Amino acid sequence: MEHIRTTKVEQVKLLDRFSTSNKSLTGTLYLTATHLLFIDSSRRETWILHHHIAAVEKLPLTTSGCPLVIQCKNFRIVHFVVPRERDCHDVYNSLLQLSRTAKYEELYAFSYNPKQNESEQVKGWQLIDLAEEYKRMGVPNDYWQLSDANRDYKICETYPRDLYVPRTASKPIIVGSSKFRSKGRFPVLSYYHKDKKAAICRCSQPLSGFSARCLEDEHMLQAISKANPSNRYMYVMDTRPKLNAMANRAAGKGYENEDNYSNIRFQFVGIENIHVMRSSLQKLLEVSGTKGLSVNDFLSGLESSGWLRHIKAVLDAAVFLVKAIAVESASVLVHCSDGWDRTSQVCSLGALLLDSYYRTIKGFMVLIEKDWISFGHKFSDRCCQLDGDPKEISPVFTQFLESVWNLMEQFPQAFEYNEAFLLQIHEHVHSCQFGNFLGNCQKEREELKLKEKTYSLWPFLLDEQKKYQNPLYSPDFSPELTLLEPNTVSFNFKFWRNMYHQFDRSMHPRQSVYDLIMNMSEQNKQLEKDIKELEAKIKQKNGQPDAVLLKEHQQSAHPAPVALKTPPCFKKEQPLIPVNDAVRTIEGSNTADNRYSEFMEEFSKAEPAVVSLEYGVARMTC
Amino acid sequence: MEFSELIKTATVESVLLAGTGLPPVRGTLCITSHHLLLSSCPGGDGQPGTVELWLLIRNVDAVEKRLAGSSGTITLRCKDLKVLQLEIPGMEECLNIASSIEALSSVDSVMMMYPFFYRPQDLRLEEGWHLFPLEQYFQKIAAETSQWRLSDLNRDFTTCPTYPAGVIVPAAVSDDTLRRAARFRQGGRFPVLSYYHPRNGTVMLRSSQPLMGPNRKRCPEDEVLLGTVLDEGERGFIIDTRSAQAAKQARMTGGGTEPKSSYPQWKRLHRPLERGRPLQESFIKLVEACNDASLSMDRWLSRLESCRWLSHVKVALSTACLAAQCLDREEASVLVHGAEGTDTTLLVTALAQVILDPGCRTMVGFQGLLEREWIEAGHPFHLRCARSAYSHARLKQEAPLFLLFLDCVWQLSRQFPFSLEFGESLLLALFDNAYASDYGTFLCNNEKERCLCKVKENTHSLWAWLNQPEEKKKYLNPLYSHNPLVIWPSVEPQSIQLWQGLFFRWIRPSQYLEEARAEMQRLVEANEAPAKESAGSRLSRSLSDPAARTENER
């Protein structure tokens, strides 16, 4: 609280981000310990969590006041104009302080208090059980076992305690191999394909330099390939571009030499590093945030940002991995440099393509817990939870979600969850409201006692899972859907408008198919249920005269559906992303908006500037 | 001319057909006057031959042949963007087939075209031709206001050869004045009513450019005509679909645009829309890029950009929105024209009506709109849709304005998925039929030509076919619910999408998308009233089901 110099500023203007005539709303700005709140004159609220703030910028003073631009990690951008420069300065400084947290304990998750008692909190954390997940995959088994080598985080600090390795990999092999791998991240099991008996394993780059070898590491890989009775050959996928991997050799790191390892096929797949991804996203946001953007500038900006090229590279890598397993029944070892960014992307997407379980709501949570959280994707650094090195920030996890979204577009019936689920997870990866994504690895999370001091996100998502269900999902729709074979031709990748313009309502479709279909599907289920109940009743009462039954059937079967069916036309303006309305109020959607008079004033003067581009007014009517 | 002269080889055995994502089949190829047929070989495994290909030769846009040894491959690129390959044994046969297809597909005489020969059994010739009489449209306006009248001054097409016999004009202006005004407009296309906005009584007019010429000629009758539309002190907008520069330059060739001095109540807005050759080239480049699956992401995006198609979509949509906004928001009447008034003008007026008028968003209303604003309004379909994106022939008058319109309607359907009664499949069918059809609806360039060719007497109407209950079902949008409001789309580049269903129709694997659509359809049907009734009847059935009863009674 000591950072807050001004708690309330009146007569603040919130500018419409894409309006070319600088449309705005006037209201009051409040600063709380956790949120920035703007309430406009029609009492609409815009909440911004301090942790979501990525950057605050004070622009040069204008005649109407002092502009303050806030960029959020969930891609919301708000543009305020504060009448007095002094107030603006105070708000600016407060936000700078509030959005930068130095210690984990100051994060929102440690003060966030949902109405849950202690046992609910514990149960919430137990919802996802990774041991259970490995059991589901079929391990331990004759070839794979649970290793206690890392029980005390002695071998690798950034791995979880429980690791699965080939039975033939003895402790000395593990220890030796880990010493030959960057950050001690030796090859372990990430996913086991029961039918093919093939495994996805993950690790970090070997410390091979120009010529170094490590017998234990070679044994380790041999053990992995031997643990697969269907194919003795295994693939080693280095997810980096070849040039980067070669450059690493000079620093005593590098990649596997095919000559030193028996039975491996080595393959580069060329996903760029975190720095390239960060600047790519930066460029993408610059382009998509431009006012009055032309189609050509948008497309050329999209191209030069390289963003979709990177998404395609990630999915292409996953497709390569899946082919090795599904077609050749070969095990695959995946690594990049440290094995926590690109490796997490490729392993998790590979598993998602192979196993329909990960396409269920619960399964997706498990997948994130396993390949991202437990294997030490550095959420804290990548999402900048604490004030740290800006060079560590990178949208690696966002890319994973975007890849999944692209798959959902290609396979509309293969996923139990919908886009809103991905967006909500993205929201909370950055919100620091729940404990799941805090910190960089499991060891750190245990030290922070997150399970006692914070809450898990997953039970909350499960509670409101109705919002996240895909009404078209059909788990057994088509047998070949267990394995997804996406087409990664360039034209299949689209700009994810609902992610990058989630809060720019004017750009969204005005009517949501999902909401309507969801309603219908629910009504149908209800109807089926009613019918079944009635049929059961009829069977019970069949001794009674028909007339009574018919009457009852008319009374109960008919009115209910009529009442259930709500005219879809009233659903039209429901937000596409049906989440917490208070948090997601859309700036600029004021019903009092009146461009009409603006136009009339200009009537006799100049030609109105691109009036047609602004359909703010439309929302009033539709 | 006899078709048989053009057919050098009528049948070839053992031809291999490949393309459209299906496994290749071998069969007998047969050329008739209008069709290319391939039936798979009977015998062999004892199965009867089945027809694998039934292609209207008019649909062929380009024929490419490649000879190798004693056989040859013909690649047929169709106007609906499909690509087929025929592997033909025998060099001579291959060359003959190719040249026959080329000759038959470029027959230019309207009356030699297939619609004049097509006689389906379950349709009557006259059916569908008079579904949307202008009188009926006019009656709706007449019920609201007496300021407009239906004039038949063009009944013999002398005043304006590209207008239909009937036009709606201000009641206060005499036919004589109209005739004089027509002389001041290119091609005689004087301002006529295109749309009456019942909410506030404003109107949208369309015309061609005024023939001012370098001497800035004036025409009092034209000024009177436009003056009558507005009350005293009222303002109107003229949306010129050319840039101010282009409109000015048009004076050198006898055209021009309305100067403020002669039309003081009208405010001119310029919104340049591409048409003609640049638009056709944009279409060709886009299709080329879409057909190249090997493109890297960067190349794909840069080619998508450089073809400019999506820019054209955006400009067309925003100009239509501007017109709609003038009518609905500014409550001001609008006159739309470009140069000839048969291309971009119609694109804007038709699109604005889809945005404004819920009536145009129904299956029937949309057909009526096409009939009124494209076909009768004299969009030269015969010239514009003679060739599609693959043709190697020298471009003459081809331009995909109608496709651009369909694309814009598709964009609306994406942004308002419940507001259009018809679905993507109707838009695709319209595209296909505009370029090559069994029906006469899109033949010729205007009503005058249609009369001369007796199109309405001798061909079937597309609408008659589309409106058959079984057929119609395929084109309906299962999610439709009447939306009485104006549908204002977003025209930000982030909201404009490439129409994959058209441009990738034959390229992308669509099985999962089709299945999802079917599932959606199923859900909706289960949700609709008949389904509820059937649930009811299922219940009454089980009530009266004797088997179930006796079993329990036992």
Side-chain angles (χ1 to χ4, degrees):
Chain A
M1 288 304 276
E2 71 272 20
H3 301 306
I4 300 177
R5 300 181 196 185
T6 313
T7 53
K8 181 177 171 188
V9 188
E10 283 172 340
Q11 290 297 311
V12 172
K13 276 196 215 143
L14 175 60
L15 299 189
D16 181 331
R17 186 177 166 202
F18 290 99
S19 165
T20 41
S21 54
N22 287 335
K23 190 162 68 86
S24 67
L25 293 172
T26 306
T28 308
L29 196 63
Y30 298 89
L31 262 177
T32 75
T34 54
H35 289 85
L36 177 71
L37 168 63
F38 178 78
I39 303 181
D40 66 33
S41 47
S42 47
R43 309 293 309 155
R44 215 180 317 228
E45 299 168 0
T46 306
W47 292 81
I48 295 170
L49 189 63
H50 296 324
H51 296 319
H52 268 148
I53 296 175
V56 197
E57 201 185 346
K58 227 172 65 170
L59 301 182
L61 197 66
T62 66
T63 46
S64 54
C66 189
L68 188 68
V69 180
I70 299 171
Q71 280 182 52
C72 300
K73 294 172 186 172
N74 55 6
F75 308 119
R76 184 204 282 270
I77 294 181
V78 283
H79 193 148
F80 291 115
V81 178
V82 184
R84 285 171 48 208
E85 194 184 5
R86 212 194 128 74
D87 288 335
C88 182
H89 193 73
D90 283 349
V91 173
Y92 172 75
N93 279 326
S94 304
L95 286 178
L96 273 190
Q97 298 297 326
L98 291 164
S99 63
R100 285 182 195 162
T101 313
K103 283 189 301 207
Y104 281 117
E105 285 78 2
E106 291 166 6
L107 291 173
Y108 187 32
F110 289 89
S111 58
Y112 175 65
N113 188 11
K115 288 173 192 99
Q116 263 196 358
N117 60 34
E118 214 169 289
S119 82
E120 282 172 316
Q121 183 181 17
V122 172
K123 254 172 70 189
W125 280 111
Q126 287 164 346
L127 188 72
I128 307 293
D129 179 0
L130 289 184
E132 204 51 51
E133 168 57 10
Y134 284 98
K135 219 183 272 170
R136 188 194 66 87
M137 291 181 207
V139 285
N141 59 22
D142 292 349
Y143 301 102
W144 296 87
Q145 65 178 2
L146 177 64
S147 158
D148 60 0
N150 202 39
R151 189 101 320 159
D152 306 312
Y153 298 115
K154 285 236 172 77
I155 296 184
C156 176
E157 290 203 329
T158 58
Y159 266 172
R161 289 175 190 272
D162 291 345
L163 293 167
Y164 292 82
V165 294
R167 278 194 189 276
T168 51
S170 63
K171 193 144 185 200
I173 291 181
I174 293 175
V175 173
S177 169
S178 78
K179 290 202 170 120
F180 188 62
R181 293 277 168 180
S182 180
K183 308 275 194 312
R185 294 171 69 93
F186 63 98
V188 296
L189 183 76
S190 157
Y191 177 74
Y192 183 73
H193 196 289
K194 244 190 287 185
D195 298 340
K196 303 279 180 191
K197 298 198 165 33
I200 302 177
C201 296
R202 55 185 293 168
C203 62
S204 60
Q205 64 184 338
L207 304 175
S208 51
F210 289 101
S211 60
R213 290 181 63 165
C214 167
L215 276 180
E216 289 91 342
D217 193 63
E218 290 162 25
H219 280 304
M220 187 74 199
L221 264 67
Q222 216 164 34
I224 292 172
S225 72
K226 278 192 180 146
N228 180 351
S230 3
N231 192 338
R232 288 289 177 219
Y233 268 102
M234 69 180 277
Y235 283 92
V236 175
M237 273 174 81
D238 189 326
T239 55
R240 299 168 293 182
K242 188 170 181 184
L243 213 66
N244 300 18
M246 284 170 67
N248 263 300
R249 278 162 57 175
K253 299 165 192 171
Y255 54 93
E256 290 81 357
N257 183 343
E258 258 179 318
D259 300 337
N260 299 342
Y261 295 84
S262 53
N263 299 340
I264 72 159
R265 282 182 193 147
F266 186 84
Q267 178 75 36
F268 287 112
V269 289
I271 303 172
E272 299 286 352
N273 65 26
I274 55 166
H275 311 295
V276 175
M277 301 307 189
R278 180 178 55 244
S279 72
S280 171
L281 179 63
Q282 196 53 46
K283 280 183 207 151
L284 179 81
L285 294 177
E286 268 165 35
V287 172
S288 67
T290 312
K291 248 188 215 180
L293 184 64
S294 78
V295 173
N296 274 17
D297 288 347
F298 174 62
L299 288 173
S300 70
L302 197 57
E303 179 202 335
S304 68
S305 76
W307 183 253
L308 291 180
R309 188 180 72 224
H310 300 314
I311 301 289
K312 176 171 152 58
V314 171
L315 252 182
D316 273 331
V319 168
F320 179 88
L321 180 154
V322 165
K323 276 202 180 124
I325 291 192
V327 179
E328 298 180 48
S329 304
S331 292
V332 185
L333 175 65
V334 184
H335 71 72
C336 45
S337 296
D338 289 319
W340 49 46
D341 293 310
R342 290 166 271 202
T343 303
S344 295
Q345 288 177 331
V346 175
C347 289
S348 56
L349 282 170
L352 182 93
L353 291 172
L354 286 166
D355 192 334
S356 59
Y357 174 65
Y358 299 126
R359 289 171 236 141
T360 63
I361 289 180
K362 177 90 184 286
F364 195 62
M365 297 172 177
V366 169
L367 185 67
I368 292 174
E369 277 287 343
K370 176 169 71 75
D371 272 310
W372 292 89
I373 297 173
S374 89
F375 276 117
H377 172 68
K378 302 203 289 175
F379 277 106
S380 177
D381 289 359
R382 297 293 176 258
C383 304
C384 194
Q385 292 170 349
L386 299 183
D387 195 18
D389 184 357
K391 286 211 172 79
E392 284 284 317
I393 303 171
S394 189
V396 175
F397 187 72
T398 307
Q399 289 182 320
F400 162 68
L401 293 178
E402 185 160 337
S403 305
V404 176
W405 175 76
N406 270 296
L407 293 171
M408 284 167 32
E409 289 282 291
Q410 271 194 52
F411 303 97
Q413 293 190 269
F415 292 82
E416 188 190 12
Y417 40 91
N418 59 20
E419 186 181 45
F421 187 56
L422 304 182
L423 294 176
Q424 187 70 322
I425 291 173
H426 185 262
E427 179 88 6
H428 285 300
V429 163
H430 294 96
S431 72
C432 303
Q433 186 174 351
F434 296 95
N436 307 61
F437 303 104
L438 300 191
N440 285 321
C441 60
Q442 294 296 56
K443 182 167 179 254
E444 201 173 4
R445 289 185 191 106
E446 283 174 20
E447 286 163 4
L448 288 168
K449 298 197 166 49
L450 289 179
K451 291 195 179 181
E452 292 146 51
K453 295 183 175 165
T454 71
Y455 295 85
S456 166
L457 169 67
W458 309 127
F460 291 90
L461 293 186
L462 272 186
D463 270 356
E464 41 179 33
Q465 64 169 305
K466 269 204 176 134
K467 286 182 193 169
Y468 308 124
Q469 266 163 359
N470 170 10
L472 297 178
Y473 173 59
S474 76
D476 40 28
F477 180 66
S478 159
E480 65 261 35
L481 275 186
T482 6
L483 171 68
L484 295 187
E485 294 175 274
N487 184 338
T488 57
V489 183
S490 303
F491 64 65
N492 267 324
F493 293 85
K494 284 175 267 178
F495 172 74
W496 193 3
R497 182 187 52 209
N498 291 351
M499 171 65 96
Y500 303 103
H501 293 291
Q502 197 184 155
F503 299 93
D504 305 314
R505 268 282 298 281
S506 63
M507 279 185 196
H508 291 236
R510 307 299 208 261
Q511 300 173 322
S512 157
V513 175
Y514 260 120
D515 290 352
L516 182 77
I517 295 286
M518 197 72 219
N519 279 336
M520 287 188 172
S521 144
E522 260 170 45
Q523 285 168 28
N524 291 350
K525 277 182 203 150
Q526 185 62 41
L527 226 76
E528 276 296 318
K529 221 179 97 199
D530 289 353
I531 291 170
K532 277 197 186 124
E533 278 171 13
L534 284 164
E535 277 175 338
K537 261 190 198 166
I538 288 163
K539 275 190 182 157
Q540 269 177 14
K541 294 187 180 179
N542 68 352
Q544 295 171 21
D546 279 358
V548 180
L549 279 176
L550 270 173
K551 205 169 152 197
E552 180 178 334
H553 142 226
Q554 277 161 356
Q555 278 171 350
S556 51
H558 282 297
V562 172
L564 273 171
K565 180 159 180 170
T566 39
C569 53
F570 290 114
K571 301 259 168 251
K572 268 160 207 161
E573 272 310 288
Q574 281 200 347
L576 180 80
I577 318 301
V579 267
N580 191 347
D581 289 329
V583 184
R584 306 247 169 166
T585 309
I586 289 91
E587 56 274 20
S589 56
N590 185 357
T591 45
D593 168 31
N594 199 347
R595 195 162 295 116
Y596 172 59
S597 52
E598 213 174 280
F599 197 168
M600 289 317 279
E601 278 165 24
E602 287 178 358
F603 190 95
S604 48
K605 293 184 238 156
E607 185 170 311
V610 245
V611 252
S612 59
L613 292 184
E614 301 189 23
Y615 290 107
V617 270
R619 279 192 298 268
M620 210 155 94
T621 55
C622 294
Chain B
M1 181 196 69
E2 287 295 324
F3 289 114
S4 54
E5 291 166 18
L6 302 176
I7 303 172
K8 292 180 181 155
T9 300
T11 54
V12 189
E13 302 281 340
S14 191
V15 171
L16 190 72
L17 166 75
T20 70
L22 296 166
V25 282
R26 199 173 284 283
T28 306
L29 185 74
C30 181
I31 299 188
T32 72
S33 314
H34 297 286
H35 288 98
L36 193 66
L37 298 132
L38 186 121
S39 55
S40 65
C41 301
D45 42 0
Q47 281 171 357
T50 48
V51 176
E52 306 282 356
L53 175 70
W54 181 281
L55 183 73
L56 190 64
I57 293 182
R58 182 81 193 152
N59 189 1
V60 175
D61 202 29
V63 184
E64 288 154 25
K65 45 188 186 285
R66 216 181 48 239
L67 297 171
S70 63
S71 74
T73 307
I74 296 179
T75 305
L76 297 178
R77 297 184 189 276
C78 300
K79 290 177 183 166
D80 62 10
L81 309 182
K82 164 169 69 201
V83 179
L84 298 171
Q85 254 154 12
L86 298 168
E87 218 181 282
I88 298 171
M91 209 168 82
E92 201 188 327
E93 280 85 353
C94 181
L95 290 172
N96 282 348
I97 296 278
S99 70
S100 307
I101 297 174
E102 255 168 10
L104 288 168
S105 66
S106 42
V107 167
D108 198 43
S109 155
V110 173
M111 294 177 74
M112 298 298 279
M113 285 180 191
Y114 186 57
F116 285 90
F117 302 86
Y118 180 54
R119 293 293 174 266
Q121 283 179 342
D122 36 2
L123 292 180
R124 285 176 298 114
L125 265 180
E126 63 273 22
E127 220 175 311
W129 281 117
H130 305 286
L131 275 181
F132 316 103
L134 194 64
E135 293 78 37
Q136 197 183 314
Y137 186 71
F138 173 70
Q139 285 313 320
K140 273 196 274 173
I141 298 170
E144 304 258 346
T145 168
S146 56
Q147 291 187 358
W148 298 89
R149 69 187 177 94
L150 185 61
S151 166
D152 66 345
L153 89 157
N154 199 40
R155 61 191 164 275
D156 47 6
F157 306 112
T158 47
T159 308
C160 173
T162 58
Y163 270 169
V167 284
I168 300 171
V169 293
V173 179
S174 70
D175 281 356
D176 221 37
T177 311
L178 292 175
R179 271 184 209 105
R180 279 167 214 248
R183 272 180 237 139
F184 185 62
R185 294 277 170 176
Q186 185 175 5
R189 295 176 69 92
F190 57 91
V192 296
L193 181 131
S194 152
Y195 172 67
Y196 176 83
H197 195 42
R199 198 177 74 83
N200 53 24
T202 55
V203 291
M204 180 158 57
L205 309 171
R206 55 177 160 74
S207 69
S208 60
Q209 61 179 340
L211 298 174
M212 287 172 62
N215 301 328
R216 297 168 186 268
K217 257 194 303 194
R218 291 178 62 166
C219 170
E221 288 82 2
D222 191 72
E223 288 163 25
V224 165
L225 171 55
L226 285 181
T228 316
V229 176
L230 304 177
D231 287 340
E232 224 184 307
E234 233 181 2
R235 304 274 205 161
F237 289 97
I238 294 173
I239 297 177
D240 193 322
T241 61
R242 301 164 295 177
S243 66
Q245 182 70 16
K248 206 168 155 192
Q249 270 171 3
R251 288 217 309 266
M252 305 316 293
T253 50
T257 192
E258 294 81 356
K260 189 98 200 146
S261 52
S262 332
Y263 301 86
Q265 279 174 282
W266 292 87
K267 159 120 191 123
R268 220 171 54 231
L269 304 172
H270 289 276
R271 286 293 180 275
L273 262 70
E274 206 61 84
R275 62 194 189 114
R277 205 188 172 107
L279 193 63
Q280 180 73 7
E281 271 162 8
S282 166
F283 177 37
I284 292 172
K285 277 192 196 159
L286 172 61
V287 171
E288 237 171 51
C290 291
N291 276 304
D292 191 347
S294 67
L295 290 179
S296 72
M297 186 61 77
D298 290 1
R299 287 295 297 150
W300 159 247
L301 289 172
S302 99
R303 286 177 67 176
L304 187 60
E305 179 208 336
S306 68
C307 81
R308 300 188 59 85
W309 182 262
L310 293 177
S311 304
H312 301 322
V313 171
K314 180 185 152 101
V315 175
L317 266 177
S318 15
T319 309
C321 286
L322 175 69
Q325 192 176 16
C326 291
L327 288 168
D328 193 67
R329 299 278 145 183
E330 309 307 319
E331 314 210 324
S333 290
V334 176
L335 166 67
V336 183
H337 72 70
E340 292 95 337
T342 54
D343 294 300
T344 48
T345 304
L346 304 182
L347 175 64
V348 173
T349 58
L351 204 49
Q353 293 180 53
V354 178
I355 292 166
L356 286 170
D357 182 5
C360 291
R361 296 178 223 137
T362 66
M363 184 84 173
V364 171
F366 190 63
Q367 291 172 12
L369 176 77
L370 294 182
E371 193 67 45
R372 229 172 355 95
E373 289 297 292
W374 285 94
I375 299 170
E376 288 179 6
H379 176 66
F381 278 99
H382 183 74
L383 294 172
R384 298 288 180 262
C385 302
R387 293 284 167 190
S388 172
Y390 293 124
S391 175
H392 305 304
R394 212 166 53 82
L395 287 181
K396 284 175 284 194
Q397 296 258 3
E398 292 83 356
L401 280 140
F402 187 59
L403 171 61
L404 186 57
F405 167 72
L406 295 176
D407 196 334
C408 292
V409 175
W410 179 81
Q411 306 285 344
L412 290 172
S413 78
R414 294 291 296 202
Q415 295 195 26
F416 297 88
F418 316 144
S419 299
L420 273 62
E421 195 190 7
F422 48 88
E424 184 180 52
S425 47
L426 179 75
L427 302 175
L428 292 174
L430 290 169
F431 166 69
D432 294 349
N433 279 282
Y435 280 84
S437 178
D438 295 346
Y439 303 91
T441 300
F442 291 110
L443 289 183
C444 300
N445 292 311
N446 49 54
E447 288 295 287
K448 185 183 178 187
E449 288 182 19
R450 276 177 210 112
C451 275
L452 286 172
C453 296
K454 295 201 170 25
V455 168
K456 292 180 190 179
E457 290 80 28
N458 294 320
T459 72
H460 284 279
S461 159
L462 175 66
W463 311 134
W465 174 63
L466 284 180
N467 290 329
Q468 299 176 101
E470 269 312 294
E471 203 57 36
K472 188 174 172 181
K473 242 198 316 217
K474 296 183 205 161
Y475 304 106
L476 290 175
N477 169 12
L479 303 177
Y480 175 68
S481 86
H482 176 74
N483 175 1
L485 305 167
V486 178
I487 53 172
W488 301 107
S490 158
V491 294
E492 299 290 344
Q494 291 95 324
S495 308
I496 292 184
Q497 295 174 303
L498 181 63
W499 187 4
Q500 295 219 349
L502 181 104
F503 294 105
F504 297 118
R505 180 157 43 145
W506 314 103
I507 302 164
R508 65 168 179 181
S510 54
Q511 181 204 346
Y512 299 116
L513 303 178
E514 294 293 330
E515 282 167 355
R517 200 170 302 154
E519 170 68 9
M520 205 184 286
Q521 178 103 35
R522 201 190 60 73
L523 281 172
V524 174
E525 275 168 14
N527 196 262
E528 273 163 3
K532 280 171 189 154
E533 276 159 30
S534 84
S537 70
R538 198 171 120 195
L539 274 176
S540 30
R541 219 179 23 252
S542 67
L543 272 169
S544 57
D545 186 353
R549 309 257 327 254
T550 44
E551 200 187 304
N552 275 311
E553 274 161 13
R554 245 179 253 143

